[in-house]
Amino acid sequence: MNFDLTSDQKMLQDQVRKFARTELAPVAPEIDKSGEFPWENLKKMAKLGLLGIIIPEEYGGSGFDFISLAIAVEEISRVCATTGVIVAVNNSLCAYPILQFGTEEQKKKYLPPLCSGEKIGAMGITEPNAGSDVAGMESTARLEGDYYILNGTKRFITNGGEAGIYVVFAYTNKEMKHKGISAFIVERDTPGFTLGKHEDLMGIRATANCELIFEDCKIPKENLLGEEGQGFKICMNTLDVSRIDIGAQAVGIAQGALDEAIKYSKERKAFGQPICNFEMIQSMLAEMATQIHAARLMVYYAGYCKDKGMKRFSKEAAMAKYYASSITVDVARKALQIHGGYGYTKDYTIERLYRDAKILELYEGTSEIQKLVIARELTR
Amino acid sequence: MGLIIFNDEQTLIQNEVKKFVKDKLSPIADEIDKKEKFPEEIITTLTELGLMTIMVPEDYKGAGLDCTSLCIAAEELSKECASIGLVMVVNNCLVGYALSRYGTQFQKTQYLNSLSDGVIGGYGFCPEINNPERLLKSEKKGGNFVLSRGNGFILNGAVAEFILFSNFQEKKFLLFPKQAGLKLKNQYILGMRSAGIVRFEFNQIEVPETSSFSFDNKVFDLAYIGFSAVGLGIARAALDSAIKYAKERKQFGRPICEFPMVQELITKMKIAVETSRLLVYESAKCFDNNEDSSLIANITRVYVTETAVLCGLNAIQVYGGYGYTKDYPVERYLRDAKTLQVLLGQPYLAKSLIAKEILL
Ligand SMILES: Cc1cc2nc3c(=O)[nH]c(=O)nc-3n(C[C@H](O)[C@H](O)[C@H](O)COP(=O)(O)OP(=O)(O)OC[C@H]3O[C@@H](n4cnc5c(N)ncnc54)[C@H](O)[C@@H]3O)c2cc1C
């Protein structure tokens, strides 16, 4: 057993923490208010190699492991959850499946622009009638000559409105049930691909969450990711991995809420002393810190499973994501309570964190779905 | 349920408010919330119906009804639009009731009387009620009271023509017209965005001694009960939405209401809502019977506002990704509930009041 971060991981943590504090924190309130996709942040992060953390250097990435990705996403989300999820999606929902399942040509073509920030990545699974039930999707793609003709609508796609590269799932063979789903790499300017409704969200408001509409969209045959019928597997494998960094996003938001609560409770005085001297406040701070610590260890452990090359770590990833997201909602609640009356105004970061926190129990599989995954693994 | 029994008058009020909500409020409630502006027209109609002065004695042109009637109206209104419920409760409890029970004859004639003509009163407070350094300090100077400095929030502040200021500790209200050296600032807040809550700031305000009056905790007992009725309305709205959505939404070829984990989310809400209703009307009855209602009012406030937050969270969860968007009202229920919960002081302070009563 070894709980120490490697020197690389520590260096990355220091670097990202410093960067997040000085560059991301000051603009976070503005991003939330305007809802504008934070291109400036992304450009700066591309320079630091944060857009392709887990991508090998030969494809323009930084070549770090998954624990490092978790560390970076946590530090970013600690000050700006919007930027945190954009980075997470770029790394694990778009670049990762291309790296893992793509051909050499696909990797050479698509990974470098994703790492350099020239293009941002997104992934389209969800549809209006298919959320938790991934296999319930209705999008189809049929091969005609050198092209797949893609039809369907994807909803709630993070980065969707601003991305350049999308990994999209559709049925190539409906009869085969989930074994008839395939994955495609779709470029933004493909004919027949348009953007639909932009979502007006409660939190993580600047993530360009958008509907993708495909009407006889012509995708070059060579953009099939993996083989025909491999889509469901690619999707589930990718979600296992991305739950590591979404768990890390949850830990980051919770840590950010605790940071604010500690700061506030030391500054604010009542009856002549800072309120952190009161037992009720101490009790809340202690609970929050303990919850965060446990969640972080679970996230790191899921990352460790992946880094070790463990074949199956669905349970560990689902547990980390499930636990981290539930404590995040609770930690944000406590932090808002410590702030009391002023907590609910926009002057204080905690109001934003409270809105941001709730998304964690919904995306990348709702908490209910995580529990089904965990139970399935337990009884396999 | 047999524990809550309304008398004829209360039933009449309930029917009237329900009808008003259905005919007038329901069609525009969404719009009010989207605009995030104080809904002056609706409030005017509420005044005409006597709902802004439910507990004001008939001598002062009020409806002269009881706390139970207030809760009935607050619950029904808040189910459709919590901001409106809040505005109405503030006007009734922290303004109307405070003035009619404790105000001087002059204050009653001058201010209380005007409420039934459509004048709205505000309530100003500093949220850090346990912080003596930030309390609104008043000193007597000649025939006047001088408030040195202060900042905080004014409920109904966007439209109030006069404002009652108080600290929870100093058992004294100061009343002054909005102009008196007060700086108001619009404030973007988490929820209750149509309720006209504004920030205030002042430095050295002088008000004549006739502007002050003292009160006991009964005002706040009533306010907590009224706020709880608002919370109950939000919780019921969230529950109803969740039930409806769970029956409609299909995943894996079945309505999601058939999944035990979704049932768990919704039964938790249902249990908490029914319990909350009992608490709200039990404490209203205590209040109406002139019993000491401080303990039950605090218990009710803690439980019911927590219920509202739980219902907001669970409703979002039932809606999945859709719950996180502004296309559906459930994200607003959570924001409104959370705002309500911390508006009159954090729950842990209420808990310490409960502890004081039963332990110390
Ligand atoms: C801000 C945001 C960003 C997103 N980003 C992306 C993205 O980048 N790419 C993408 O593809 N998708 C994305 N999504 C979609 C997200 O993954 C889905 O919203 C989520 O999977 C839930 O699907 P749903 O919304 O259709 O809810 P539903 O599946 O309709 O679920 C409704 C409720 O039923 C429950 N439920 C459903 N099935 C079961 C069951 N079998 N047992 C028990 N309970 C069940 C759910 O847990 C939930 O409580 C995003 C969503 C949001 C809100």
Coordinates of all heavy atoms in Angstrom, one line a residue, chain A residues 113-153:
Chain A
P113 N -5.4 17.8 -32.5 CA -6.2 19.0 -32.3 C -7.0 19.0 -31.0 O -7.3 20.1 -30.4 CB -7.2 19.0 -33.5 CG -7.1 17.6 -34.1 CD -5.8 17.1 -33.7
L114 N -7.4 17.9 -30.5 CA -8.1 17.8 -29.2 C -7.1 18.2 -28.0 O -7.5 18.8 -27.1 CB -8.6 16.4 -28.9 CG -9.9 16.0 -29.7 CD1 -10.2 14.5 -29.4 CD2 -11.1 16.9 -29.3
C115 N -5.9 17.9 -28.2 CA -4.9 18.2 -27.1 C -4.5 19.6 -27.2 O -4.2 20.3 -26.2 CB -3.6 17.3 -27.2 SG -4.0 15.6 -27.0
S116 N -4.4 20.2 -28.4 CA -3.9 21.6 -28.5 C -5.0 22.6 -28.3 O -4.8 23.8 -28.3 CB -3.4 21.8 -30.0 OG -4.4 21.7 -30.9
G117 N -6.2 22.1 -28.2 CA -7.4 23.1 -28.0 C -7.8 23.7 -29.3 O -8.7 24.5 -29.3
E118 N -7.2 23.3 -30.4 CA -7.7 23.7 -31.7 C -9.2 23.3 -31.9 O -10.0 24.1 -32.4 CB -6.8 23.1 -32.8 CG -7.1 23.7 -34.2 CD -6.4 22.8 -35.2 OE1 -5.3 22.2 -35.0 OE2 -7.0 22.6 -36.3
K119 N -9.4 22.1 -31.5 CA -10.8 21.6 -31.5 C -11.1 21.0 -30.1 O -10.3 20.4 -29.5 CB -11.0 20.6 -32.6 CG -11.0 21.2 -33.9 CD -11.2 20.2 -35.0 CE -11.2 21.0 -36.4 NZ -10.9 20.1 -37.5
I120 N -12.4 21.2 -29.7 CA -12.8 20.7 -28.4 C -13.7 19.4 -28.7 O -14.3 19.3 -29.8 CB -13.6 21.7 -27.6 CG1 -12.7 22.9 -27.2 CG2 -14.3 21.1 -26.4 CD1 -11.6 22.5 -26.2
G121 N -13.6 18.5 -27.8 CA -14.4 17.2 -28.0 C -15.6 17.1 -27.3 O -15.8 17.8 -26.2
A122 N -16.5 16.3 -27.8 CA -17.8 16.0 -27.1 C -18.2 14.6 -27.4 O -17.6 13.9 -28.3 CB -18.9 16.9 -27.6
M123 N -19.2 14.1 -26.6 CA -19.7 12.7 -26.9 C -21.2 12.7 -26.8 O -21.8 13.3 -25.9 CB -19.2 11.8 -25.8 CG -19.8 10.4 -26.0 SD -19.1 9.2 -24.8 CE -17.9 8.4 -25.8
G124 N -21.8 12.1 -27.8 CA -23.3 12.1 -27.9 C -23.8 10.7 -27.7 O -23.8 9.9 -28.7
I125 N -24.4 10.5 -26.5 CA -25.1 9.2 -26.3 C -26.6 9.5 -26.1 O -27.4 8.9 -26.8 CB -24.6 8.5 -25.0 CG1 -23.1 8.5 -24.9 CG2 -25.2 7.2 -24.8 CD1 -22.5 8.2 -23.5
T126 N -26.9 10.4 -25.2 CA -28.2 10.6 -24.8 C -29.1 11.2 -25.9 O -28.7 12.0 -26.7 CB -28.2 11.7 -23.6 OG1 -27.3 11.2 -22.6 CG2 -29.6 11.8 -23.0
E127 N -30.4 10.7 -25.9 CA -31.4 11.2 -26.8 C -32.6 11.6 -26.0 O -32.8 11.2 -24.9 CB -31.7 10.1 -27.8 CG -30.5 9.7 -28.7 CD -30.9 8.6 -29.7 OE1 -32.0 8.3 -29.8 OE2 -29.9 8.2 -30.4
P128 N -33.6 12.3 -26.7 CA -34.8 12.7 -25.9 C -35.5 11.5 -25.3 O -35.9 11.6 -24.2 CB -35.7 13.3 -27.0 CG -34.7 13.8 -28.0 CD -33.5 12.9 -28.0
N129 N -35.5 10.3 -25.9 CA -36.2 9.2 -25.4 C -35.3 8.2 -24.8 O -35.7 7.1 -24.3 CB -37.1 8.5 -26.4 CG -38.2 9.5 -26.8 OD1 -38.8 10.2 -26.0 ND2 -38.5 9.5 -28.1
A130 N -34.0 8.4 -24.8 CA -33.1 7.4 -24.2 C -32.0 8.1 -23.4 O -31.0 8.7 -23.9 CB -32.4 6.7 -25.4
G131 N -32.2 8.1 -22.1 CA -31.2 8.7 -21.2 C -30.5 7.5 -20.5 O -29.5 7.0 -20.9
S132 N -31.1 7.1 -19.3 CA -30.5 6.0 -18.6 C -30.5 4.7 -19.5 O -29.6 3.9 -19.4 CB -31.4 5.7 -17.4 OG -31.4 6.8 -16.5
D133 N -31.5 4.6 -20.3 CA -31.6 3.4 -21.2 C -30.8 3.7 -22.5 O -31.4 4.0 -23.5 CB -33.1 3.1 -21.4 CG -33.3 1.9 -22.3 OD1 -32.3 1.1 -22.5 OD2 -34.4 1.7 -22.8
V134 N -29.5 3.5 -22.4 CA -28.7 3.8 -23.6 C -29.1 3.0 -24.8 O -29.2 3.5 -25.9 CB -27.2 3.5 -23.2 CG1 -26.3 3.7 -24.5 CG2 -26.7 4.5 -22.2
A135 N -29.4 1.7 -24.6 CA -29.8 0.9 -25.7 C -31.2 1.3 -26.3 O -31.5 0.8 -27.4 CB -29.8 -0.6 -25.3
G136 N -31.9 2.1 -25.6 CA -33.1 2.6 -26.2 C -33.0 3.7 -27.2 O -34.0 4.3 -27.7
M137 N -31.7 4.0 -27.6 CA -31.5 5.1 -28.6 C -32.2 4.8 -29.9 O -32.4 3.6 -30.3 CB -30.0 5.4 -28.7 CG -29.2 4.3 -29.4 SD -27.5 4.9 -29.8 CE -26.8 5.2 -28.2
E138 N -32.5 5.8 -30.6 CA -33.2 5.7 -31.9 C -32.4 6.1 -33.1 O -32.8 5.9 -34.2 CB -34.5 6.5 -31.8 CG -35.6 5.9 -30.8 CD -36.6 6.9 -30.4 OE1 -36.6 8.1 -30.9 OE2 -37.4 6.5 -29.5
S139 N -31.3 6.7 -32.9 CA -30.4 7.2 -34.0 C -30.0 5.9 -34.8 O -29.7 4.9 -34.3 CB -29.2 7.9 -33.5 OG -29.6 9.1 -32.9
T140 N -29.9 6.1 -36.1 CA -29.5 5.0 -37.0 C -28.4 5.5 -37.9 O -28.3 6.7 -38.2 CB -30.6 4.5 -37.8 OG1 -31.1 5.6 -38.6 CG2 -31.7 3.9 -37.0
A141 N -27.6 4.6 -38.4 CA -26.6 4.9 -39.4 C -26.6 3.7 -40.4 O -26.5 2.6 -40.0 CB -25.2 5.1 -38.8
R142 N -26.7 4.0 -41.7 CA -26.6 2.9 -42.6 C -25.5 3.2 -43.6 O -25.3 4.4 -44.0 CB -28.0 2.7 -43.3 CG -28.5 3.9 -44.0 CD -29.7 3.6 -44.9 NE -29.8 4.6 -45.9 CZ -30.4 5.9 -45.7 NH1 -30.9 6.2 -44.5 NH2 -30.4 6.7 -46.7
L143 N -24.8 2.2 -44.0 CA -23.7 2.3 -44.9 C -24.2 2.4 -46.4 O -25.0 1.6 -46.8 CB -22.8 1.1 -44.8 CG -21.5 1.1 -45.5 CD1 -20.6 2.3 -45.1 CD2 -20.7 -0.2 -45.4
E144 N -23.8 3.5 -47.0 CA -24.1 3.7 -48.4 C -22.8 4.0 -49.2 O -22.4 5.2 -49.0 CB -25.2 4.8 -48.6 CG -26.6 4.2 -48.6 CD -27.6 5.3 -48.8 OE1 -27.3 6.3 -49.4 OE2 -28.8 5.1 -48.4
G145 N -22.3 3.1 -49.9 CA -21.0 3.4 -50.6 C -19.9 3.7 -49.6 O -19.7 2.9 -48.7
D146 N -19.3 4.9 -49.7 CA -18.2 5.2 -48.8 C -18.6 6.0 -47.5 O -17.8 6.5 -46.8 CB -17.2 6.0 -49.6 CG -16.4 5.2 -50.6 OD1 -16.4 4.0 -50.4 OD2 -15.9 5.8 -51.6
Y147 N -19.9 6.1 -47.4 CA -20.4 6.9 -46.3 C -21.4 6.2 -45.4 O -22.2 5.3 -45.9 CB -21.1 8.2 -46.8 CG -20.2 9.1 -47.5 CD1 -19.9 9.0 -48.9 CD2 -19.5 10.1 -46.7 CE1 -19.0 9.9 -49.5 CE2 -18.6 10.9 -47.4 CZ -18.4 10.8 -48.7 OH -17.5 11.7 -49.3
Y148 N -21.4 6.5 -44.1 CA -22.5 6.1 -43.3 C -23.5 7.3 -43.3 O -23.1 8.5 -43.1 CB -22.0 5.9 -41.8 CG -21.4 4.5 -41.6 CD1 -20.0 4.3 -41.7 CD2 -22.2 3.4 -41.4 CE1 -19.5 3.1 -41.5 CE2 -21.7 2.1 -41.2 CZ -20.3 2.0 -41.3 OH -19.8 0.7 -41.1
I149 N -24.8 7.0 -43.4 CA -25.8 8.1 -43.4 C -26.4 8.0 -42.0 O -27.1 7.1 -41.6 CB -26.9 7.8 -44.5 CG1 -26.2 7.6 -45.8 CG2 -27.8 9.0 -44.5 CD1 -25.4 8.7 -46.3
L150 N -26.1 9.1 -41.2 CA -26.6 9.1 -39.8 C -27.8 10.0 -39.7 O -27.9 11.1 -40.2 CB -25.4 9.7 -39.0 CG -25.7 10.0 -37.5 CD1 -26.0 8.7 -36.7 CD2 -24.4 10.7 -36.9
N151 N -28.8 9.4 -38.9 CA -30.0 10.2 -38.6 C -30.4 10.0 -37.2 O -30.3 8.9 -36.6 CB -31.2 9.6 -39.5 CG -31.2 10.2 -40.9 OD1 -31.5 11.4 -41.1 ND2 -30.9 9.4 -41.9
G152 N -30.8 11.2 -36.6 CA -31.2 11.1 -35.2 C -30.9 12.4 -34.4 O -30.3 13.3 -35.0
T153 N -31.3 12.5 -33.2 CA -31.1 13.7 -32.4 C -30.4 13.3 -31.0 O -30.9 12.3 -30.4 CB -32.4 14.3 -32.1 OG1 -33.0 14.7 -33.3 CG2 -32.3 15.6 -31.2

